[in-house]
């Protein structure tokens, strides 16, 4: 359909439709004007600055922090949808448990005791474990050796993470 305003005078059309001439021109001006244009630009800027990892909640907080604008989170979400912006969702990292890592490195010894923690005579079965402590900004490792006959600690070893070794024997 051709532009009707080009064929008929605006005054006749406005009388026919029951609107004022100034109202028609105001409508034309507002039709081109985007009320949320500045806000959309600010949302796009924040999204680009954060490399697309921010969702609507964080962008809402950034609008307040950077521009001092209080905007409803639903409006931010709606404008992001209009702009086609979505937060990048990171996948969960697959963590190897420390046991699996130790097992693959060969640090886990073969299970010789098979949960039989009794001994017939002294010095027949010894067990040990390493415990890590944090003291300030250093890590201290304690390894106690236990004789399963009397359930007594036979010896222990304390070492610092920076390879300064302190040996205490009982």
């Amino acid at each position: 359909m051709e532009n009707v305003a080009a064929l008929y005078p605006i005054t006749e059309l406005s009388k026919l439709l029951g609107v004022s001439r100034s109202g028609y021109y105001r409508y034309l001006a507002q039709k081109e004007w985007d009320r949320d244009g500045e806000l959309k630009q600010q949302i796009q800027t924040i999204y680009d600055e954060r490399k697309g990892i921010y969702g609507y909640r964080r962008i809402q907080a950034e609008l307040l922090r950077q521009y001092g604008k209080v905007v409803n989170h639903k409006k931010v979400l709606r404008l992001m949808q209009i702009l086609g912006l979505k937060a990048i969702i990171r996948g969960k990292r697959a963590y190897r448990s420390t046991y699996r890592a130790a097992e693959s490195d060969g640090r886990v010894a073969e299970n010789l005791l098979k949960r039989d923690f009794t001994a017939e005579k002294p010095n027949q079965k010894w067990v040990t474990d390493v415990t890590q402590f944090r003291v300030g900004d250093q890590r201290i490792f304690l390894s106690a050796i236990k004789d399963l006959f009397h359930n007594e600690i036979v010896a222990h070893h304390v070492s610092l993470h920076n390879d300064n070794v302190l040996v205490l024997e009982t």
Side-chain angles (χ1 to χ4, degrees), residues 37-52 59 63 67 79-80 82-85:
E38 182 185 358
L39 185 59
K40 285 180 183 176
Q41 183 59 44
Q42 292 168 343
I43 289 172
Q44 184 72 52
T45 303
I46 293 169
Y47 185 83
D48 294 339
E49 282 174 359
R50 304 300 180 194
K51 298 180 177 74
I59 287 182
L63 285 169
Y67 302 105
L79 293 176
M80 284 181 69
I82 290 169
L83 294 170
L85 304 178

Side-chain angles (χ1 to χ4, degrees), residues 8-126:
Y8 299 100
I10 296 299
T11 52
E12 287 181 28
L13 289 174
S14 59
K15 281 181 187 176
L16 181 69
L17 297 173
V19 291
S20 66
R21 232 177 97 224
S22 61
Y24 170 74
Y25 285 113
R26 187 173 43 225
Y27 163 75
L28 284 181
Q30 285 183 351
K31 194 169 108 176
E32 302 299 320
W33 178 67
D34 185 10
R35 184 170 57 166
D36 296 321
E38 182 185 358
L39 185 59
K40 285 180 183 176
Q41 183 59 44
Q42 292 168 343
I43 289 172
Q44 184 72 52
T45 303
I46 293 169
Y47 185 83
D48 294 339
E49 282 174 359
R50 304 300 180 194
K51 298 180 177 74
I53 63 169
Y54 273 16
Y56 70 93
R57 290 182 187 97
R58 283 175 145 185
I59 287 182
Q60 177 198 19
E62 282 293 307
L63 285 169
L64 179 62
R65 192 181 69 75
Q66 285 184 18
Y67 302 105
K69 287 194 171 184
V70 178
V71 185
N72 188 301
H73 67 281
K74 294 176 189 174
K75 182 169 188 167
V76 175
L77 174 62
R78 186 173 60 250
L79 293 176
M80 284 181 69
Q81 289 170 342
I82 290 169
L83 294 170
L85 304 178
K86 264 187 167 179
I88 297 169
I89 307 297
R90 292 179 302 192
K92 290 187 178 181
R93 274 181 65 181
Y95 289 101
R96 270 190 358 176
S97 69
T98 53
Y99 179 79
R100 285 188 184 159
E103 195 175 39
S104 67
D105 294 346
R107 292 180 284 158
V108 176
E110 185 184 345
N111 184 6
L112 299 174
L113 291 179
K114 308 274 193 257
R115 302 197 58 80
D116 178 19
F117 299 112
T118 57
E120 310 299 321
K121 55 186 178 176
N123 299 328
Q124 183 182 21
K125 293 181 184 176
W126 283 4

Side-chain angles (χ1 to χ4, degrees), residues 145-160:
I145 300 171
K146 181 178 182 181
D147 185 356
L148 291 180
F149 181 70
H150 292 295
N151 288 330
E152 295 177 344
I153 302 296
V154 177
H156 64 276
H157 177 85
V158 177
S159 63
L160 300 174

